[in-house]
Amino acid sequence: MRDTIALKVIARIKSDFTTKFGIPRQSGLVPEQESMIVFEREYRDRNALRGLEGYSHIWLIWGFSMVEKEGWSPMVKPPRLGGNKRMGVFATRSPFRPNPIGLSSVKLLRTETRPNLGTVLIVSGADLMDGTPIYDIKPYLTFTDSHPEAEDGFAGEKYAYSLEVEFPEEWLSMIPEEKREALKASLAQDPRPAYRDDPEERYGFEFAGFDVRFRVKEGVLTVCEAVPLTGSETTRQN
């Protein structure tokens, strides 16, 4: 038996998140967020997708491409625990793993045929950065993949809250209308590291061609500015 195997990139995701900061920490937390899965030329065969339209959700198996060279650690500091408490890597979804592989359950909205791209998948709820490599796609099966009685460990205790979002119209109006709900839902998830809680500190992340900047005070996230990113697709369209 071989000790290693070579994974092939079958597709990449096109997402509004172009940096790691700001991406939802788990799939499904922001169902308003739509993304597109674009297959590599070698795998643009419609026959490979035959029957997929009968499923409402799919599993994406993908790679933490930004950390592949950083190695792994048996103990990590989950951001949701304040970044100062260690847990075993296999009790977390940290990217610093022996094999930097991620697993996400997303909703399959539809398939489309795009010029020069072939058949693409439109999904919602993905927690992947733009350009993330996808190694495999599998259907989500309710009779075996769903476990309502499952316990979430320490991770579940940290997701029972969300921030109130104040998004002044002068900045909200700059964001394409079809992107606004996804952006507000992402902000409500509190993108900040759990150990950073300075109400005067200003944060920002890239989303849909904009640098969105904000502050958080007493459970309220206030957007301070939305700056178009020069050369982005959204900027060119506007």
Side-chain angles (χ1 to χ4, degrees):
M1 181 180 295
R2 292 178 296 172
D3 292 331
T4 62
I5 62 171
L7 294 177
K8 296 181 179 180
V9 177
I10 66 166
R12 293 185 185 273
I13 198 160
K14 184 172 178 56
S15 166
D16 289 321
F17 294 100
T18 53
T19 61
K20 291 188 295 182
F21 187 73
I23 296 176
R25 290 183 172 88
Q26 302 294 339
S27 59
L29 290 178
V30 182
E32 297 88 347
Q33 173 63 26
E34 292 191 13
S35 304
M36 180 168 64
I37 296 173
V38 180
F39 290 89
E40 299 290 285
R41 291 187 180 277
E42 181 180 355
Y43 303 102
R44 293 179 188 176
D45 187 332
R46 289 184 61 89
N47 289 322
L49 300 174
R50 185 178 299 179
L52 194 64
E53 71 280 355
Y55 297 93
S56 64
H57 292 72
I58 56 177
W59 289 107
L60 304 180
I61 300 171
W62 50 276
F64 287 102
S65 53
M66 300 296 290
V67 301
E68 287 180 347
K69 297 181 180 180
E70 297 184 33
W72 78 286
S73 174
M75 298 284 285
V76 297
K77 297 179 179 180
R80 280 298 190 185
L81 293 182
N84 54 17
K85 185 174 182 179
R86 293 183 179 274
M87 291 288 179
V89 66
F90 298 130
T92 75
R93 296 192 174 185
S94 167
F96 303 104
R97 323 183 70 79
N99 295 299
I101 295 175
L103 179 68
S104 296
S105 172
V106 299
K107 185 173 183 179
L108 177 61
L109 299 178
R110 60 189 180 278
T111 61
E112 295 182 358
T113 301
R114 296 286 182 93
N116 302 319
L117 297 179
T119 302
V120 301
L121 304 180
I122 308 300
V123 302
S124 68
D127 54 341
L128 281 67
M129 186 174 69
D130 185 58
T132 294
I134 296 174
Y135 300 131
D136 205 358
I137 295 172
K138 297 179 184 291
Y140 178 97
L141 305 176
T142 58
F143 64 87
T144 185
D145 295 345
S146 178
H147 302 280
E149 76 285 0
E151 297 182 2
D152 294 325
F154 69 86
E157 301 171 4
K158 299 295 179 179
Y159 281 95
Y161 83 100
S162 63
L163 297 174
E164 177 184 344
V165 176
E166 292 187 352
F167 209 135
E169 182 62 28
E170 63 177 311
W171 307 122
L172 183 61
S173 62
M174 298 180 64
I175 308 299
E177 186 173 358
E178 70 276 10
K179 306 284 188 181
R180 295 175 188 174
E181 291 305 312
L183 175 54
K184 288 191 288 185
S186 298
L187 291 168
Q189 290 295 318
D190 195 353
R192 302 173 300 161
Y195 53 88
R196 303 282 284 275
D197 194 26
D198 182 353
E200 300 304 320
E201 187 167 0
R202 192 165 174 169
Y203 304 86
F205 65 82
E206 296 179 9
F207 180 88
F210 290 85
D211 181 6
V212 182
R213 303 169 184 174
F214 61 91
R215 289 191 177 96
V216 179
K217 183 177 181 180
E218 298 179 352
V220 178
L221 183 151
T222 302
V223 175
C224 308
E225 199 173 12
V227 181
L229 297 170
T230 304
S232 73
E233 183 176 344
T234 301
T235 301
R236 291 194 296 270
Q237 291 175 349
N238 292 342

